[in-house]
Amino acid sequence: MEGSATRPLVVISLFGETRSGKDAFKNGLLSVLENHGLFYRQFSYKLHSLQLEANAARDPLTHLAEQTQAATMNQKHVPLHIALTDLSRDTDDKINVALFNTGGEDNNVETGEDLRKALPFISHTDVFVVMIPPPTLPGLPEHVRMPPGSEGDSTQSRKVTFRHIERLAEAVRDGRLAEETAALKAGQPVPEPAANPIVVFALTKCDRYVDLEGFPQETLLERRHDDQGLDALDIAMFNEQEALNKFVVDNGGHMLLKQAERIGKVFITAISGTGSDREGHAASQKSALNRCMDPLLLPLMRAGRGRMSQADIEAS
């Protein structure tokens, strides 16, 4: 979605069951931003108060928030607004990021059309982040999927997650059809289709996968960030996909991936910085908190901010 000629807008939306890791994921992303000060030494950032700084008449961020129905009786789904400034360019080149965080109750709808009406920002989303906690992969050993002392896992399963991804795919399709229909009724040209969204499968609670045979253990380590900025990250990120895809497929996630492909190109990342959810157990020493940044890196790469371009992403 476009913000303005000099301030493009990237919309990222988080989806997942209760206790699947959405809030931990968001907090991890913000923690990395706050602790680094500079975003991979290529971007500076600022968190904005939407209510104070946005103008509903012209700001697309506010427009998205205003049109979204209440998350509760008294509160709308208001996105977190992250303003990025590209320090590698001579101009004041800014990118606005709207980060929407949905709740487990948002999944309690019957159809994709219901979901789209409740969450209109779906039609504008560039990156869908879908939480994939251990109970969603039925091929995992029982002690990994449902360890003693874990909480909330009864709300998570492959069947539940599949249905939610299915509704999300229907909502994206219905949004596209609604735009085409509205244009035809108004006698206007049918809008050119936007670039397909990116779908990020965020494997959460990966502390449980330490030493699990078949899991690519290198994805539990922090990414290397250096002065080369995004250029130093793209190859490593995309080289991980084969191993992560095999792990998901081998453990019963094939149909989840196929369903998500109805929305857009699927990318998988592993997040272990959320800590252990097992009572009496500390988090693994292997943690990859900075991988929470992957959903933000991908659209920047697609926009040509790193060496990866849209063509590279589609071909990967």
Side-chain angles (χ1 to χ4, degrees):
M1 180 178 178
E2 294 298 323
S4 69
T6 59
R7 295 174 181 267
L9 176 62
V10 175
V11 179
I12 301 175
S13 301
L14 309 184
F15 292 87
E17 275 57 78
T18 301
R19 298 182 182 272
S20 62
K22 295 188 299 297
D23 288 337
F25 185 96
K26 180 195 71 175
N27 293 338
L29 184 152
L30 295 179
S31 175
V32 174
L33 281 175
E34 292 167 359
N35 290 333
H36 282 274
L38 289 178
F39 179 55
Y40 298 136
R41 301 191 180 120
Q42 184 174 346
F43 294 88
S44 67
Y45 80 98
K46 181 180 180 182
L47 299 180
H48 284 275
S49 170
L50 205 64
Q51 294 83 348
L52 293 177
E53 300 193 19
N55 185 314
R58 62 178 183 273
D59 193 311
L61 278 165
T62 303
H63 174 67
L64 283 179
E66 289 293 330
Q67 69 171 336
T68 303
Q69 293 180 12
T72 64
M73 291 298 292
N74 300 311
Q75 183 179 1
K76 293 178 181 295
H77 280 288
V78 177
L80 177 68
H81 175 196
I82 305 171
L84 300 176
T85 301
D86 191 340
L87 300 177
S88 68
R89 305 192 178 199
D90 295 332
T91 59
D92 183 23
D93 193 7
K94 295 187 183 297
I95 301 171
N96 288 313
V97 178
L99 178 65
F100 285 92
N101 187 12
T102 65
E105 67 278 2
D106 292 314
N107 291 313
N108 298 326
V109 294
E110 293 297 324
T111 67
E113 179 65 13
D114 293 336
L115 188 63
R116 187 179 71 86
K117 288 179 178 178
L119 308 175
F121 54 83
I122 285 176
S123 297
H124 304 286
T125 294
D126 300 290
V127 184
F128 292 93
V129 185
V130 180
M131 305 297 152
I132 307 293
T136 304
L137 299 176
L140 291 172
E142 182 68 15
H143 72 277
V144 173
R145 287 196 314 112
M146 307 279 282
S150 61
E151 297 180 0
D153 289 348
S154 61
T155 67
Q156 303 157 17
S157 71
R158 179 179 61 173
K159 180 178 180 181
V160 172
T161 299
F162 179 88
R163 179 59 183 141
H164 292 166
I165 296 174
E166 183 179 47
R167 281 196 288 263
L168 196 55
E170 292 169 356
V172 171
R173 178 202 63 193
D174 292 345
R176 292 169 179 164
L177 290 175
E179 288 184 358
E180 294 176 3
T181 300
L184 290 172
K185 286 184 177 180
Q188 299 174 348
V190 174
E192 289 290 328
N196 283 335
I198 298 170
V199 182
V200 176
F201 268 29
L203 305 184
T204 59
K205 305 185 181 182
C206 291
D207 295 342
R208 298 188 196 174
Y209 302 156
V210 171
D211 300 326
L212 182 64
E213 184 177 355
F215 184 78
Q217 296 295 313
E218 65 275 10
T219 63
L220 297 181
L221 302 177
E222 295 287 333
R223 292 201 188 282
R224 178 185 174 187
H225 299 152
D226 54 33
D227 291 327
Q228 298 179 61
L230 297 178
D231 291 342
L233 298 174
D234 51 15
I235 297 301
M237 291 173 66
F238 282 85
N239 283 346
E240 293 170 359
Q241 295 310 293
E242 183 176 359
L244 287 170
N245 185 82
K246 184 177 187 304
F247 176 78
V248 171
V249 170
D250 288 349
N251 287 285
H254 175 70
M255 293 307 297
L256 298 177
L257 290 169
K258 294 297 291 183
Q259 189 66 250
E261 287 172 356
R262 295 175 56 197
I263 302 171
K265 177 70 178 180
V266 179
F267 181 91
I268 308 174
T269 190
I271 308 298
S272 66
T274 55
S276 175
D277 60 352
R278 296 178 61 185
E279 185 176 356
H281 290 71
S284 166
Q285 292 301 307
K286 293 182 178 181
S287 62
L289 186 64
N290 66 353
R291 291 170 186 262
C292 293
M293 301 302 298
D294 287 359
L296 188 53
L297 289 170
L298 289 166
L300 294 178
M301 290 177 180
R302 182 161 73 176
R305 303 304 171 115
R307 192 168 58 79
M308 277 296 196
S309 65
Q310 169 65 20
D312 295 321
I313 288 179
E314 296 297 338
S316 65

